[in-house]
Amino acid sequence: MLMYLGAGTVQAAELTSIGVSVADLGNPFFVQIAESIADKARELAGDQVKVIVRSSAYDLTRQRHQIKEFIQMKVDLIVLTAADSIKIKRDVRLAQNAGIHVIAVDINAAGADVTITTDNVQAGKIACEYLVKRLNGKGNVVIINGASISSVIDRVSGCKDVLERYPDIHLLSDQLNGGGTIEGGLEVMTYLINAYARIHGVFAINDPCAQGAVMAAQQAGRTDFIITSVDGAPVARKALMHSDSPWVASAAQFPRQMAELAVETGLSLLQKKPVESRIILIPAQLITAGNLDQYKGWGEQTP
């Protein structure tokens, strides 16, 4: 069940500071989340609100230090994308024991007051359904995987659910970790190109990995496979504008919406108001060259 809270439903007097720990500030997706949290907090609480942003680089130890820092700073609210969905639980509890509410965004965090994330199973499904459709239900497919976190696991699970329904689709590889980065996508795709003579389709767990896969294809002079991904980032929009690009679709997320809901929900918790849903799933929207003119990008508030 989706829960949408308007700005008028909360009073911002109690909010003075927010600690934000995102996975990778080198990824525009997480930059959008951080910036949108700051924008929404200042809209509701005024320009004096402090928003302290840190990057965990998917490192649990680093994120634990960041949460301890936030506790010492006595922030009112912590918003995080967990470096480890399960092991972060003790750190979430430390914050809550200090009277700080914790909102998880993008990635599940055990014990968080509320989790707000894309429906990542659905995102993986729609990206791979389009991939299979473009391949006419047959061919060799590889998956550029990522870190062992809930969002990535769910995307791959959704993709594989689709692929398994087609007996003429052969999954050659699904374990290689591209690290969610351009460099990782380039490295993994280069390996896969050398390992398998015939690849027809690629599913990348996010747009940076897909961008790296495109670079690998260009460097190898390969034009025999197509790529789908998850994010709907500006770089994906740009690629989809070109008819000769191997990148043919991305399941768009809505980071600004996630971030704004995180702030609004956190404010409701601070006001001791009831929160109807502890898990908020936001559907992804598949973007392709065919519907690109209808997609407004990450600045859009709702899918």
Side-chain angles (χ1 to χ4, degrees):
M1 175 177 162
L2 292 179
M3 176 181 65
Y4 296 93
L5 303 175
T9 65
V10 291
Q11 298 181 17
E14 295 183 17
L15 181 64
T16 61
S17 59
I18 303 176
V20 181
S21 176
V22 294
D24 178 12
L25 286 173
N27 183 335
F29 176 81
F30 295 111
V31 173
Q32 179 72 66
I33 285 179
E35 290 179 348
S36 298
I37 288 171
D39 289 344
K40 194 64 177 180
R42 288 164 186 152
E43 174 190 331
L44 298 180
D47 291 340
Q48 75 279 3
V49 67
K50 294 181 180 179
V51 180
I52 305 99
V53 179
R54 301 287 185 265
S55 173
S56 73
Y58 295 102
D59 185 320
L60 178 61
T61 300
R62 184 171 176 176
Q63 188 164 67
R64 283 175 165 163
H65 287 309
Q66 292 167 356
I67 292 173
K68 288 179 181 177
E69 177 190 10
F70 295 152
I71 294 171
Q72 291 170 354
M73 297 174 71
K74 298 182 179 180
V75 300
D76 301 308
L77 181 68
I78 292 175
V79 181
L80 64 83
T81 58
D84 186 300
S85 298
I86 304 302
K87 293 180 181 178
I88 200 65
K89 183 175 182 178
R90 77 176 197 188
D91 308 279
V92 169
R93 290 290 185 231
L94 282 175
Q96 291 167 334
N97 289 341
I100 302 169
H101 291 292
V102 179
I103 309 295
V105 294
D106 184 52
I107 300 167
N108 297 338
D113 293 274
V114 177
T115 295
I116 303 168
T117 182
T118 299
D119 186 341
N120 284 294
V121 173
Q122 178 250 1
K125 283 184 176 180
I126 61 176
C128 287
E129 282 169 352
Y130 188 78
L131 185 67
V132 171
K133 179 182 177 181
R134 287 288 302 265
L135 296 176
N136 296 316
K138 58 184 178 181
N140 296 331
V141 172
V142 296
I143 294 175
I144 301 179
N145 214 314
S148 184
I149 52 178
S150 63
S151 57
V152 173
I153 292 168
D154 287 349
R155 290 171 199 175
V156 173
S157 174
C159 176
K160 290 172 74 173
D161 284 348
V162 171
L163 300 183
E164 288 169 0
R165 297 203 305 264
Y166 294 86
D168 292 328
I169 291 288
H170 305 290
L171 182 58
L172 302 179
S173 173
D174 66 345
Q175 296 298 313
L176 296 179
N177 182 356
T181 66
I182 297 172
E183 296 79 11
L186 171 61
E187 181 179 354
V188 168
M189 195 67 234
T190 299
Y191 171 83
L192 290 169
I193 286 171
N194 291 323
Y196 301 103
R198 293 176 61 83
I199 298 173
H200 304 101
V202 179
F203 171 63
I205 56 91
N206 69 0
D207 284 354
C209 279
Q211 187 177 359
V214 171
M215 293 169 63
Q218 292 171 341
Q219 291 179 9
R222 293 282 290 269
T223 60
D224 54 340
F225 57 80
I226 57 174
I227 302 164
T228 66
S229 59
V230 176
D231 270 344
V235 67
R237 294 183 70 188
K238 184 176 180 180
L240 293 173
M241 294 177 184
H242 300 280
S243 59
D244 59 345
S245 173
W247 198 349
V248 296
S250 181
Q253 303 191 82
F254 295 88
R256 176 172 291 184
Q257 186 185 10
M258 276 189 252
E260 292 184 345
L261 281 169
V263 176
E264 292 170 352
T265 304
L267 282 168
S268 285
L269 291 170
L270 285 170
Q271 293 288 331
K272 302 187 185 303
K273 295 184 178 181
V275 176
E276 295 180 7
S277 179
R278 295 289 171 172
I279 299 178
I280 302 173
L281 296 180
I282 300 173
Q285 174 189 341
L286 189 73
I287 59 167
T288 68
N291 68 359
L292 195 58
D293 59 339
Q294 302 167 28
Y295 176 61
K296 296 182 180 179
W298 283 347
E300 181 73 348
Q301 296 302 300
T302 56

